[in-house]
Each structure stands twice: as structure tokens, then as C-alpha cells.
Amino acid sequence: MTKRMNYNLVGGLAAAVLVWLDQWTKGLAVTHLKGQEPFVLWEGVFELNYLENRGAAFGMFQGQKVMFLLCTVLILGLVVFYYQRLPEGRRFYPIRLVGILLVAGAIGNLIDRTVNSYVVDFFYFKLIDFPVFNVADCYVTVGAALLAVLILFYYKEEELGFFSLRRKEAEDEREKEL
């Protein structure tokens, strides 16, 4: 088995486990929170509050199921495309994790939108009146934040050549500079 195949297998399994965890928590929310008063974990700060979100983040674009499905498939395609282009080696493990988190979050919410026409949300930070969210949303948010930190502070510009669609030309240029 090649290293790339191993990365893909481990990444796919990790994403599958994360999707399962997301769906399991949403199932618990449906079973224990739907139709109930919010379950207060910390008075005035944090509670579990069942919500069926037919929109995107913060409830935007309500009822736009087809648009969400198309955007999700496009985003999944881009993440998988760039995941395949990642160089091998430990240095790129953090950005592989980003890809896994983004894929798991997108698939977790895609399952909800496809099956239910809404996403089950249940985490609510009452203290700051933050929009209700779920585990898949956490994956996407953490993944996006980690990607920003990695690009800004961890990787050097020349290490990010895999983002270029002109991969071969970028590699040739790098070789000429050396």
C-alpha cells in the first residue's frame, strides 16, 4: 500500500468516525431534546436547545435546500481535490486534519439536509446569544480556523504550492530557483 493510499484510508476512516459522532449526537438531541424545554448545563451561559435549522450558519438562506446541496458537493469536491494534492510527510499532517474536519462537517450536515430537509442544532451559548449549532458545525469552524492559522503562521509560502492549479509549472519554477 502506498503512502498516499494510506493517507486516504486513514483520512476516510477518521472522517467516517467523525460523521458517525455528529449523527449520533444529533440522534440524542432528537430523542432527548425535541419538544422539551432547553436542558441547562450552566445557568445563563450554556444549554442544550433543540432547533431545526432550514438555513445556513446563523439561519441565513432559509429553505434553499438545492443551493445547499450543490454548494456542499462543490466544497467536498474541492477539499478532496486538494487533499489528494497534499505533499506526503508529517509536516502536512495538520492540514490533512483540516481536510478531514471539513469533510466530516460538510457530510454530517449534508446527511441532515438530504434526509430531513433541515439540520439538527442543539448547542446554545446563551451568555452571548450565539446561534444554536451542532457537532458538524464545530468541525467546520475548527477546521477553517486551523486552516487560517496554518496558512498564516505555520507553513511557508513555498510549501503551499499544492494550492496552485498550475502545480507542474509551480514545481518547475521552484526547481529553477534552486
Side-chain angles (χ1 to χ4, degrees):
M1 181 179 288
T2 68
K3 224 175 200 181
R4 182 154 317 276
M5 288 173 54
N6 191 36
Y7 287 139
N8 292 342
L9 179 62
V10 169
L13 289 173
V17 167
L18 292 176
V19 169
W20 175 85
L21 180 62
D22 170 66
Q23 293 297 300
W24 179 68
T25 59
K26 289 173 180 172
L28 289 173
V30 170
T31 301
H32 299 289
L33 299 172
K34 186 175 183 175
Q36 305 295 318
E37 289 296 313
F39 183 80
V40 178
L41 294 169
W42 187 355
E43 184 66 42
V45 177
F46 184 71
E47 59 190 38
L48 302 178
N49 188 357
Y50 182 83
L51 175 75
E52 294 175 357
N53 184 355
R54 287 171 170 72
F58 313 113
M60 298 182 301
F61 308 112
Q62 292 291 318
Q64 300 293 318
K65 182 179 176 180
V66 173
M67 181 193 70
F68 288 126
L69 296 177
L70 291 174
C71 287
T72 302
V73 169
L74 176 67
I75 290 167
L76 282 170
L78 285 171
V79 171
V80 169
F81 174 76
Y82 283 111
Y83 190 90
Q84 293 299 314
R85 294 173 62 100
L86 280 169
E88 295 176 359
R90 297 179 77 94
R91 176 96 174 129
F92 293 92
Y93 284 179
I95 205 161
R96 286 186 189 286
L97 175 62
V98 166
I100 291 165
L101 289 170
L102 294 176
V103 165
I107 290 173
N109 284 338
L110 178 65
I111 290 169
D112 282 15
R113 282 195 175 90
T114 303
V115 173
N116 305 321
S117 295
Y118 58 83
V119 173
V120 173
D121 289 333
F122 52 92
F123 292 133
Y124 178 49
F125 279 105
K126 189 173 187 171
L127 179 68
I128 58 173
D129 195 26
F130 195 79
V132 183
F133 60 100
N134 61 46
V135 174
D137 297 335
C138 293
Y139 298 156
V140 172
T141 302
V142 169
L146 182 57
L147 179 62
V149 168
L150 291 171
I151 288 173
L152 292 172
F153 303 110
Y154 184 72
Y155 294 113
K156 297 176 184 128
E157 186 175 346
E158 56 271 10
E159 291 177 296
L160 299 173
F162 63 87
F163 277 125
S164 172
L165 293 179
R166 297 179 180 183
R167 183 177 185 182
K168 183 66 177 152
E169 291 174 25
E171 288 173 1
D172 292 343
E173 285 297 317
R174 244 183 284 128
E175 287 177 15
K176 286 179 188 176
E177 291 173 6
L178 299 175

